[in-house]
């Protein structure tokens, strides 16, 4: 069993594009699916309409409900990756963050909150309610596509910032990047959003195109 949270390359690239390109705090969700061998990995990253500021971001219950109405009921439990950014400060969860984690954990059997910043640092947990309620801290991330190489890789010696830096360098070396359509969606959302805080709207309408 891997002691790392796995991301498909496109999901990690999309997540880091938002983290690095938007100077306000932003938040979003992601989908965690299991493969035929029951290995979980983050497969998709989304941004919902939200109000954002230099150090806060919020999605209304109505916007969250509207998103889940577009998702087949059988898949709703998979959208349990909850992320937000601390653009230029530490990724330690605040008291508000921890309260939100506990509340959201009641809605999912497994819930994975993540905080990332523009330095490439992250802080993450896995909350679970089955078979017993508990929480584990995420210390390592890795690419799902390279899961067979995880045990032989030196990434286990790196801190969170070093892990992301190494993964980004390796993806660049192997030509792993967003498609033109995927990058265009990210670029449009970022272009509409930059420089508009505090309390500026961030829309995800363009995500419906892909």
């Amino acid at each position: 069993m891997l002691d790392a949270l796995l991301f498909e390359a496109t999901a990690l690239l999309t997540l880091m594009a938002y983290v690095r390109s938007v100077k306000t705090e932003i938040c979003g969700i992601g989908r965690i699916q299991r493969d035929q061998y029951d290995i979980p990995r983050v497969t998709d990253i989304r941004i919902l309409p939200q109000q954002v500021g230099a150090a806060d971001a919020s999605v209304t219950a109505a916007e969250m409900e509207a998103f889940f109405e577009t998702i087949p009921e059988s898949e709703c439990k998979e959208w349990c990756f909850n992320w937000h950014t601390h653009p230029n400060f530490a990724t330690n969860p605040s008291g508000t963050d921890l309260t939100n984690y506990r509340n959201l954990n009641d809605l999912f059997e497994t819930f994975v909150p993540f905080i990332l910043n523009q330095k490439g640092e992250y802080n993450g947990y896995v909350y679970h309610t089955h078979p017993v309620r508990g929480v584990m801290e995420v210390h390592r991330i890795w690419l799902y596509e390279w899961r067979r190489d995880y045990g032989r890789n030196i990434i286990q010696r790196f801190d969170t910032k070093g892990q992301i830096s190494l993964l980004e360098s390796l993806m660049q070396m192997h030509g792993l990047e967003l498609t033109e359509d995927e990058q265009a969606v990210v670029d449009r959302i970022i272009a509409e959003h930059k420089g508009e805080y505090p309390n500026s709207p961030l829309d995800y309408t363009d995500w419906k195109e892909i």
Side-chain angles (χ1 to χ4, degrees):
M1 181 177 179
L2 300 182
D3 60 343
L5 179 64
L6 300 180
F7 287 79
E8 289 190 356
T10 297
L12 183 59
L13 287 165
T14 301
L15 178 60
M16 294 312 301
Y18 284 121
V19 172
R20 293 264 169 74
S21 300
V22 179
K23 60 184 177 182
T24 67
E25 183 168 319
I26 57 172
C27 61
I29 60 176
R31 185 180 184 185
I32 297 181
Q33 295 176 271
R34 292 181 177 270
D35 67 10
Q36 60 181 324
Y37 303 108
D38 206 33
I39 297 174
R41 81 278 191 201
V42 181
T43 60
D44 198 359
I45 296 293
R46 299 290 180 95
I47 282 183
L48 305 183
Q50 60 195 263
Q51 291 293 319
V52 301
D56 66 289
S58 61
V59 176
T60 66
E63 294 290 3
M64 187 68 75
E65 183 177 342
F67 173 78
F68 276 100
E69 285 178 352
T70 70
I71 303 299
E73 185 175 353
S74 61
E75 297 176 6
C76 286
K77 66 180 181 180
E78 297 177 344
W79 289 89
C80 60
F81 182 72
N82 183 286
W83 62 273
H84 72 276
T85 63
H86 286 177
N88 297 307
F89 49 98
T91 58
N92 308 79
S94 66
T96 299
D97 291 330
L98 293 173
T99 298
N100 290 338
Y101 292 174
R102 288 189 290 269
N103 291 338
L104 287 168
N105 185 40
D106 291 335
L107 302 177
F108 296 92
E109 185 175 290
T110 301
F111 172 67
V112 183
F114 244 62
I115 303 173
L116 306 97
N117 65 20
Q118 294 184 346
K119 298 177 183 179
E121 299 165 334
Y122 70 82
N123 178 286
Y125 295 89
V126 176
Y127 285 76
H128 55 86
T129 59
H130 181 79
V132 295
R133 183 178 291 270
V135 59
M136 299 178 294
E137 187 171 0
V138 176
H139 294 289
R140 301 182 184 93
I141 64 172
W142 189 240
L143 287 193
Y144 174 75
E145 290 87 342
W146 298 340
R147 60 196 178 281
R148 293 179 179 84
D149 299 316
Y150 174 74
R152 299 191 293 271
N153 201 284
I154 61 172
I155 199 168
Q156 298 178 57
R157 306 175 189 173
F158 285 75
D159 60 14
T160 64
K161 181 178 180 181
Q163 292 171 37
I164 289 180
S165 178
L166 177 60
L167 281 171
E168 289 180 321
S169 296
L170 290 173
M171 284 190 287
Q172 185 176 17
M173 289 172 56
H174 285 81
L176 292 174
E177 57 187 12
L178 297 177
T179 66
E180 291 184 5
D181 288 343
E182 291 164 342
Q183 187 63 55
V185 168
V186 171
D187 290 344
R188 284 198 297 273
I189 292 176
I190 291 170
E192 293 170 359
H193 170 63
K194 273 189 171 180
E196 297 180 0
Y197 72 91
N199 300 320
S200 60
L202 179 62
D203 199 348
Y204 80 125
T205 306
D206 284 330
W207 276 111
K208 299 174 183 177
E209 297 179 9
I210 60 173

